[in-house]
Amino acid sequence: MAAGATRRTYHHGALRDALLAGARELLAERGAEGFSLNELARRVGVSSAAPYRHFADREALLSALRDEGYDAFGAAQRAAAAQATDPADRIIRLVAAYLSFAEENNAIFGMMFRYWSWAEVRPDTFAPLVDAVTEAQEAGFLPAGQSATTLARTIWCTVHGLTTLRLTGGLTKLGLDAPTDQLIRDTFAAILRDPTG
Amino acid sequence: MAAGATRRTYHHGALRDALLAGARELLAERGAEGFSLNELARRVGVSSAAPYRHFADREALLSALRDEGYDAFGAAQRAAAAQATDPADRIIRLVAAYLSFAEENNAIFGMMFRYWSWAEVRPDTFAPLVDAVTEAQEAGFLPAGQSATTLARTIWCTVHGLTTLRLTGGLTKLGLDAPTDQLIRDTFAAILRDPTG
DNA sequence: ACCTGAACACCGTTCAAGT
DNA sequence: ACCTGAACACCGTTCAAGT
């Protein structure tokens, strides 16, 4: 699909978009550390200097992908929240959406949340989770003794740890893996309570 | 300290150890992705081909550092557990030790737990945590409804998420950071219960 | 305005040759 | 046995020159 997909003449016209599209592909194949700007240029069919017309450097291109990533992540979180039937279900769905976003966008997720950066993160990225926690507290699924942001932070830490430890193979390596649904249920059983109990 | 610290003659005698020591330094300065074998060779005062007498490749050298890292981590966990006064305190101390190990060994921690690998992880790395959870269940600090390994997995996910989100600056970026002690207390308040309550 | 070609200093890695 | 020197294919990045 990438082989020889080059305009014979001179250049593209829409090189910037072609670079971004190629970068998404290449990133998925090679991961963040294996990602090479020269390889990208070769695939897109331009000289290795051409990308510098559109991006200041390698980091700037990756930064643009992170930016898209935060958008997509926010949309996925909101979509998950919208499908919920009750406050506890909403939290579980947000958690499940977190995990599956990371699964489907491994390299980009890594760049967004795992190492450096945070430069492009949206301040409202976790608004859906904080809202869900507030509701869950009111409905008695979560204790009222802590602020919603504190509890949301705890849940964020838990789901983030679960996600990274699972995707990097750590859970499997230590014999702690389980099917996704069960993993989520068992993990948040320690935090979410039954309001009728 | 690294400048010109070179035997004038030929070579070292103990190049392998010199490489490992230099690598620990360089890794702390440059991080895992910035770590260069050529730069290491220059610092240690040998040709860029010399390290290949002692390590198959760049990865093999980093792998040796990960190996040391798991040892040091295990020792730190056991030391923390030994100081505890009760089962809940023991869990909090293990969590605090996890965080401070990551803080003091940022790059190595990243290579051990954050990205790839897991190849060198000790199967008993989390034995201290599982033991502490078992005790905490018996003492009523943790619910008895789940197995100790399941609960330990949850706690591991939470502390791991807390650690990575904090060290990468994510908590600060989203206005969720707090002093270490309070952060740990607030986070695990949602999981640990008062057995007298 | 947008891209190429050639160049720079750097990588990781290999291998014949030196001591 | 252990290391050097020189080389290879690759990086990211710069810049004069082309259209």
Side-chain angles (χ1 to χ4, degrees), chain A residues 8-28:
Chain A
R8 280 299 90 211
T9 57
Y10 197 38
H11 60 275
H12 267 252
L15 181 54
R16 197 192 138 92
D17 288 343
L19 287 169
L20 286 172
R24 278 186 287 264
E25 248 185 57
L26 190 55
L27 199 60

PDB file of all heavy atoms in Angstrom, chain A residues 8-28:
ATOM      1  N   ARG A   8       4.870  10.826  -9.794  1.00  0.00           N
ATOM      2  CA  ARG A   8       6.125  10.829 -10.549  1.00  0.00           C
ATOM      3  C   ARG A   8       6.781  12.205 -10.520  1.00  0.00           C
ATOM      4  O   ARG A   8       7.981  12.351 -10.499  1.00  0.00           O
ATOM      5  CB  ARG A   8       5.878  10.428 -12.013  1.00  0.00           C
ATOM      6  CG  ARG A   8       5.737   8.929 -12.268  1.00  0.00           C
ATOM      7  CD  ARG A   8       6.964   8.134 -11.891  1.00  0.00           C
ATOM      8  NE  ARG A   8       6.905   7.689 -10.506  1.00  0.00           N
ATOM      9  CZ  ARG A   8       7.966   7.512  -9.738  1.00  0.00           C
ATOM     10  NH1 ARG A   8       9.164   7.729 -10.189  1.00  0.00           N
ATOM     11  NH2 ARG A   8       7.848   7.119  -8.499  1.00  0.00           N
ATOM     12  N   THR A   9       5.935  13.224 -10.610  1.00  0.00           N
ATOM     13  CA  THR A   9       6.487  14.567 -10.725  1.00  0.00           C
ATOM     14  C   THR A   9       6.776  15.170  -9.367  1.00  0.00           C
ATOM     15  O   THR A   9       5.981  15.062  -8.440  1.00  0.00           O
ATOM     16  CB  THR A   9       5.477  15.498 -11.412  1.00  0.00           C
ATOM     17  OG1 THR A   9       4.264  15.475 -10.670  1.00  0.00           O
ATOM     18  CG2 THR A   9       5.232  15.060 -12.824  1.00  0.00           C
ATOM     19  N   TYR A  10       7.931  15.733  -9.243  1.00  0.00           N
ATOM     20  CA  TYR A  10       8.231  16.787  -8.314  1.00  0.00           C
ATOM     21  C   TYR A  10       7.651  16.658  -6.902  1.00  0.00           C
ATOM     22  O   TYR A  10       8.357  16.502  -5.939  1.00  0.00           O
ATOM     23  CB  TYR A  10       7.726  18.087  -8.951  1.00  0.00           C
ATOM     24  CG  TYR A  10       8.299  19.334  -8.331  1.00  0.00           C
ATOM     25  CD1 TYR A  10       9.616  19.364  -7.936  1.00  0.00           C
ATOM     26  CD2 TYR A  10       7.512  20.454  -8.154  1.00  0.00           C
ATOM     27  CE1 TYR A  10      10.142  20.519  -7.388  1.00  0.00           C
ATOM     28  CE2 TYR A  10       8.034  21.613  -7.605  1.00  0.00           C
ATOM     29  CZ  TYR A  10       9.350  21.634  -7.220  1.00  0.00           C
ATOM     30  OH  TYR A  10       9.850  22.762  -6.682  1.00  0.00           O
ATOM     31  N   HIS A  11       6.341  16.711  -6.777  1.00  0.00           N
ATOM     32  CA  HIS A  11       5.786  16.713  -5.435  1.00  0.00           C
ATOM     33  C   HIS A  11       4.277  16.528  -5.403  1.00  0.00           C
ATOM     34  O   HIS A  11       3.633  16.287  -6.399  1.00  0.00           O
ATOM     35  CB  HIS A  11       6.148  17.999  -4.735  1.00  0.00           C
ATOM     36  CG  HIS A  11       5.616  19.200  -5.445  1.00  0.00           C
ATOM     37  ND1 HIS A  11       6.284  19.785  -6.477  1.00  0.00           N
ATOM     38  CD2 HIS A  11       4.472  19.898  -5.301  1.00  0.00           C
ATOM     39  CE1 HIS A  11       5.577  20.808  -6.922  1.00  0.00           C
ATOM     40  NE2 HIS A  11       4.476  20.894  -6.232  1.00  0.00           N
ATOM     41  N   HIS A  12       3.731  16.748  -4.226  1.00  0.00           N
ATOM     42  CA  HIS A  12       2.407  16.303  -3.879  1.00  0.00           C
ATOM     43  C   HIS A  12       1.301  17.313  -4.059  1.00  0.00           C
ATOM     44  O   HIS A  12       0.242  17.008  -4.571  1.00  0.00           O
ATOM     45  CB  HIS A  12       2.406  15.909  -2.393  1.00  0.00           C
ATOM     46  CG  HIS A  12       2.677  14.469  -2.220  1.00  0.00           C
ATOM     47  ND1 HIS A  12       1.705  13.586  -1.840  1.00  0.00           N
ATOM     48  CD2 HIS A  12       3.788  13.747  -2.399  1.00  0.00           C
ATOM     49  CE1 HIS A  12       2.231  12.383  -1.781  1.00  0.00           C
ATOM     50  NE2 HIS A  12       3.509  12.453  -2.093  1.00  0.00           N
ATOM     51  N   GLY A  13       1.542  18.470  -3.490  1.00  0.00           N
ATOM     52  CA  GLY A  13       0.447  19.412  -3.379  1.00  0.00           C
ATOM     53  C   GLY A  13      -0.115  19.416  -1.984  1.00  0.00           C
ATOM     54  O   GLY A  13      -0.380  20.460  -1.405  1.00  0.00           O
ATOM     55  N   ALA A  14      -0.258  18.198  -1.443  1.00  0.00           N
ATOM     56  CA  ALA A  14      -0.793  18.107  -0.080  1.00  0.00           C
ATOM     57  C   ALA A  14       0.144  17.269   0.778  1.00  0.00           C
ATOM     58  O   ALA A  14      -0.265  16.306   1.416  1.00  0.00           O
ATOM     59  CB  ALA A  14      -2.190  17.501  -0.105  1.00  0.00           C
ATOM     60  N   LEU A  15       1.396  17.659   0.764  1.00  0.00           N
ATOM     61  CA  LEU A  15       2.408  16.857   1.437  1.00  0.00           C
ATOM     62  C   LEU A  15       2.161  16.760   2.944  1.00  0.00           C
ATOM     63  O   LEU A  15       2.350  15.706   3.550  1.00  0.00           O
ATOM     64  CB  LEU A  15       3.799  17.439   1.167  1.00  0.00           C
ATOM     65  CG  LEU A  15       4.974  16.693   1.794  1.00  0.00           C
ATOM     66  CD1 LEU A  15       4.951  15.233   1.421  1.00  0.00           C
ATOM     67  CD2 LEU A  15       6.295  17.314   1.378  1.00  0.00           C
ATOM     68  N   ARG A  16       1.730  17.835   3.531  1.00  0.00           N
ATOM     69  CA  ARG A  16       1.515  17.837   4.974  1.00  0.00           C
ATOM     70  C   ARG A  16       0.568  16.727   5.414  1.00  0.00           C
ATOM     71  O   ARG A  16       0.876  15.952   6.322  1.00  0.00           O
ATOM     72  CB  ARG A  16       0.955  19.192   5.428  1.00  0.00           C
ATOM     73  CG  ARG A  16       1.102  19.421   6.922  1.00  0.00           C
ATOM     74  CD  ARG A  16       0.285  20.628   7.383  1.00  0.00           C
ATOM     75  NE  ARG A  16      -0.376  20.302   8.638  1.00  0.00           N
ATOM     76  CZ  ARG A  16       0.151  20.561   9.837  1.00  0.00           C
ATOM     77  NH1 ARG A  16       1.296  21.154   9.946  1.00  0.00           N
ATOM     78  NH2 ARG A  16      -0.501  20.194  10.934  1.00  0.00           N
ATOM     79  N   ASP A  17      -0.570  16.612   4.716  1.00  0.00           N
ATOM     80  CA  ASP A  17      -1.526  15.565   5.057  1.00  0.00           C
ATOM     81  C   ASP A  17      -0.974  14.177   4.756  1.00  0.00           C
ATOM     82  O   ASP A  17      -1.192  13.233   5.517  1.00  0.00           O
ATOM     83  CB  ASP A  17      -2.837  15.776   4.288  1.00  0.00           C
ATOM     84  CG  ASP A  17      -3.612  16.964   4.844  1.00  0.00           C
ATOM     85  OD1 ASP A  17      -3.311  17.393   5.979  1.00  0.00           O
ATOM     86  OD2 ASP A  17      -4.502  17.478   4.146  1.00  0.00           O
ATOM     87  N   ALA A  18      -0.252  14.075   3.648  1.00  0.00           N
ATOM     88  CA  ALA A  18       0.344  12.781   3.294  1.00  0.00           C
ATOM     89  C   ALA A  18       1.344  12.349   4.358  1.00  0.00           C
ATOM     90  O   ALA A  18       1.422  11.170   4.709  1.00  0.00           O
ATOM     91  CB  ALA A  18       1.024  12.876   1.935  1.00  0.00           C
ATOM     92  N   LEU A  19       2.093  13.310   4.890  1.00  0.00           N
ATOM     93  CA  LEU A  19       3.052  12.984   5.946  1.00  0.00           C
ATOM     94  C   LEU A  19       2.337  12.514   7.205  1.00  0.00           C
ATOM     95  O   LEU A  19       2.731  11.522   7.818  1.00  0.00           O
ATOM     96  CB  LEU A  19       3.917  14.212   6.268  1.00  0.00           C
ATOM     97  CG  LEU A  19       4.978  14.582   5.228  1.00  0.00           C
ATOM     98  CD1 LEU A  19       5.567  15.957   5.534  1.00  0.00           C
ATOM     99  CD2 LEU A  19       6.081  13.530   5.176  1.00  0.00           C
ATOM    100  N   LEU A  20       1.291  13.187   7.580  1.00  0.00           N
ATOM    101  CA  LEU A  20       0.549  12.795   8.783  1.00  0.00           C
ATOM    102  C   LEU A  20      -0.053  11.405   8.621  1.00  0.00           C
ATOM    103  O   LEU A  20       0.043  10.575   9.519  1.00  0.00           O
ATOM    104  CB  LEU A  20      -0.537  13.828   9.092  1.00  0.00           C
ATOM    105  CG  LEU A  20      -0.027  15.154   9.678  1.00  0.00           C
ATOM    106  CD1 LEU A  20      -1.150  16.174   9.756  1.00  0.00           C
ATOM    107  CD2 LEU A  20       0.595  14.924  11.060  1.00  0.00           C
ATOM    108  N   ALA A  21      -0.637  11.154   7.465  1.00  0.00           N
ATOM    109  CA  ALA A  21      -1.241   9.836   7.218  1.00  0.00           C
ATOM    110  C   ALA A  21      -0.172   8.753   7.247  1.00  0.00           C
ATOM    111  O   ALA A  21      -0.343   7.710   7.893  1.00  0.00           O
ATOM    112  CB  ALA A  21      -1.970   9.845   5.874  1.00  0.00           C
ATOM    113  N   GLY A  22       0.942   9.001   6.563  1.00  0.00           N
ATOM    114  CA  GLY A  22       2.034   8.042   6.566  1.00  0.00           C
ATOM    115  C   GLY A  22       2.598   7.829   7.961  1.00  0.00           C
ATOM    116  O   GLY A  22       2.952   6.717   8.336  1.00  0.00           O
ATOM    117  N   ALA A  23       2.661   8.903   8.729  1.00  0.00           N
ATOM    118  CA  ALA A  23       3.223   8.822  10.077  1.00  0.00           C
ATOM    119  C   ALA A  23       2.350   7.952  10.983  1.00  0.00           C
ATOM    120  O   ALA A  23       2.857   7.186  11.799  1.00  0.00           O
ATOM    121  CB  ALA A  23       3.367  10.215  10.664  1.00  0.00           C
ATOM    122  N   ARG A  24       1.041   8.077  10.839  1.00  0.00           N
ATOM    123  CA  ARG A  24       0.139   7.231  11.642  1.00  0.00           C
ATOM    124  C   ARG A  24       0.419   5.757  11.370  1.00  0.00           C
ATOM    125  O   ARG A  24       0.507   4.948  12.302  1.00  0.00           O
ATOM    126  CB  ARG A  24      -1.320   7.566  11.317  1.00  0.00           C
ATOM    127  CG  ARG A  24      -1.847   8.779  12.062  1.00  0.00           C
ATOM    128  CD  ARG A  24      -3.340   8.975  11.828  1.00  0.00           C
ATOM    129  NE  ARG A  24      -3.618   9.479  10.486  1.00  0.00           N
ATOM    130  CZ  ARG A  24      -3.789  10.760  10.179  1.00  0.00           C
ATOM    131  NH1 ARG A  24      -3.721  11.671  11.121  1.00  0.00           N
ATOM    132  NH2 ARG A  24      -4.045  11.124   8.941  1.00  0.00           N
ATOM    133  N   GLU A  25       0.575   5.444  10.088  1.00  0.00           N
ATOM    134  CA  GLU A  25       0.882   4.058   9.693  1.00  0.00           C
ATOM    135  C   GLU A  25       2.233   3.599  10.245  1.00  0.00           C
ATOM    136  O   GLU A  25       2.344   2.550  10.859  1.00  0.00           O
ATOM    137  CB  GLU A  25       0.943   3.981   8.167  1.00  0.00           C
ATOM    138  CG  GLU A  25      -0.164   3.178   7.515  1.00  0.00           C
ATOM    139  CD  GLU A  25       0.090   3.076   6.013  1.00  0.00           C
ATOM    140  OE1 GLU A  25       1.171   2.586   5.622  1.00  0.00           O
ATOM    141  OE2 GLU A  25      -0.796   3.492   5.229  1.00  0.00           O
ATOM    142  N   LEU A  26       3.235   4.408   9.994  1.00  0.00           N
ATOM    143  CA  LEU A  26       4.597   4.050  10.371  1.00  0.00           C
ATOM    144  C   LEU A  26       4.731   3.905  11.888  1.00  0.00           C
ATOM    145  O   LEU A  26       5.392   2.998  12.394  1.00  0.00           O
ATOM    146  CB  LEU A  26       5.572   5.117   9.861  1.00  0.00           C
ATOM    147  CG  LEU A  26       7.057   4.812   9.948  1.00  0.00           C
ATOM    148  CD1 LEU A  26       7.383   3.509   9.248  1.00  0.00           C
ATOM    149  CD2 LEU A  26       7.879   5.950   9.352  1.00  0.00           C
ATOM    150  N   LEU A  27       4.066   4.788  12.591  1.00  0.00           N
ATOM    151  CA  LEU A  27       4.101   4.749  14.048  1.00  0.00           C
ATOM    152  C   LEU A  27       3.485   3.447  14.571  1.00  0.00           C
ATOM    153  O   LEU A  27       4.003   2.831  15.500  1.00  0.00           O
ATOM    154  CB  LEU A  27       3.328   5.948  14.593  1.00  0.00           C
ATOM    155  CG  LEU A  27       3.599   6.354  16.025  1.00  0.00           C
ATOM    156  CD1 LEU A  27       5.051   6.708  16.220  1.00  0.00           C
ATOM    157  CD2 LEU A  27       2.717   7.534  16.396  1.00  0.00           C
ATOM    158  N   ALA A  28       2.391   3.042  13.958  1.00  0.00           N
ATOM    159  CA  ALA A  28       1.740   1.804  14.368  1.00  0.00           C
ATOM    160  C   ALA A  28       2.656   0.605  14.106  1.00  0.00           C
ATOM    161  O   ALA A  28       2.666  -0.356  14.870  1.00  0.00           O
ATOM    162  CB  ALA A  28       0.416   1.633  13.630  1.00  0.00           C
TER     163      ALA A  28
END
